[in-house]
Amino acid sequence: ASQALTLEQVMAHPVVQRILAPVDKIIEQPVRWQEQGLWCKGKPDVVVVDDVVDLKTAADPRPEVWLGEAARWGFGRQAALYLNGCTAAYGRPYRNFIFPVVGKKPPHLVYVYVARDPSESLKLSREQNAKDLLDLAERIRSGDWGLPEIHPFEIPAWR
């Protein structure tokens, strides 16, 4: 019951309605593309006009909380990857990654966030993704999955 209420709340938000208004949209279709010589795939919630949309839920969707959580969970990196993927898969540029975020608990507040391309945040996210994909490609090529450093495990003495 709460899931339906959450979806209703999101769809009732005027900004979300405007974003999803165009009839021509792609809903939950997987995309595959290559980056750094590796095949990648993703499944955006909605691709519409110039936008890729991914619905998120959050304990607290307010900017002072959610933006920190978004950074911690790497949502900027997801945005950069999915924008690249949709651009490659559909053969046209996608410029905005939109996160409608709905609170998990009543009153199910809805906030809408956008990562616009180009932006410093997406540039940094693309650089991080490229570095990680190159590292992954090298590990696949070499078969070396070891950690770069081993840290000693020492339990501090009880005081």
Side-chain angles (χ1 to χ4, degrees):
S2 67
Q3 187 70 12
L5 177 60
T6 301
L7 183 57
E8 288 172 15
Q9 291 284 47
V10 172
M11 297 310 293
H13 193 281
V15 174
V16 174
Q17 286 179 350
R18 191 170 69 244
I19 292 165
L20 299 180
V23 174
D24 188 21
K25 57 185 157 261
I26 302 165
I27 300 172
E28 292 188 326
Q29 291 299 308
V31 292
R32 289 178 46 92
W33 71 100
Q34 278 193 306
E35 264 190 61
Q36 306 295 334
L38 295 175
W39 279 101
C40 302
K41 70 177 182 176
K43 189 175 178 184
D45 289 340
V46 181
V47 178
V48 59
V49 188
D50 292 329
D51 307 326
V52 178
V53 182
D54 194 55
L55 175 65
K56 300 289 187 197
T57 59
D60 188 340
R62 295 173 302 148
E64 58 270 22
V65 177
W66 190 80
L67 290 171
E69 289 295 302
R72 186 170 81 92
W73 287 101
F75 291 157
R77 294 179 73 171
Q78 176 199 6
L81 202 63
Y82 276 30
L83 285 171
N84 290 357
C86 288
T87 295
Y90 297 120
R92 60 185 280 336
Y94 289 88
R95 299 286 179 218
N96 304 307
F97 194 94
I98 300 172
F99 294 102
V101 182
V102 60
K104 291 180 181 181
K105 297 178 183 172
H108 301 290
L109 298 173
V110 177
Y111 288 81
V112 179
Y113 300 92
V114 63
R116 296 192 194 284
D117 197 9
S119 72
E120 280 303 309
S121 177
L122 285 176
K123 179 183 174 202
L124 177 60
S125 293
R126 282 193 172 100
E127 289 170 2
Q128 292 169 330
N129 287 345
K131 179 181 175 289
D132 287 349
L133 286 169
L134 282 172
D135 179 62
L136 177 60
E138 175 56 25
R139 289 176 186 274
I140 290 170
R141 186 197 63 73
S142 70
D144 180 6
W145 295 92
L147 299 175
E149 297 179 35
I150 302 295
H151 300 278
F153 177 74
E154 297 291 334
I155 299 174
W158 182 262
R159 296 183 183 186

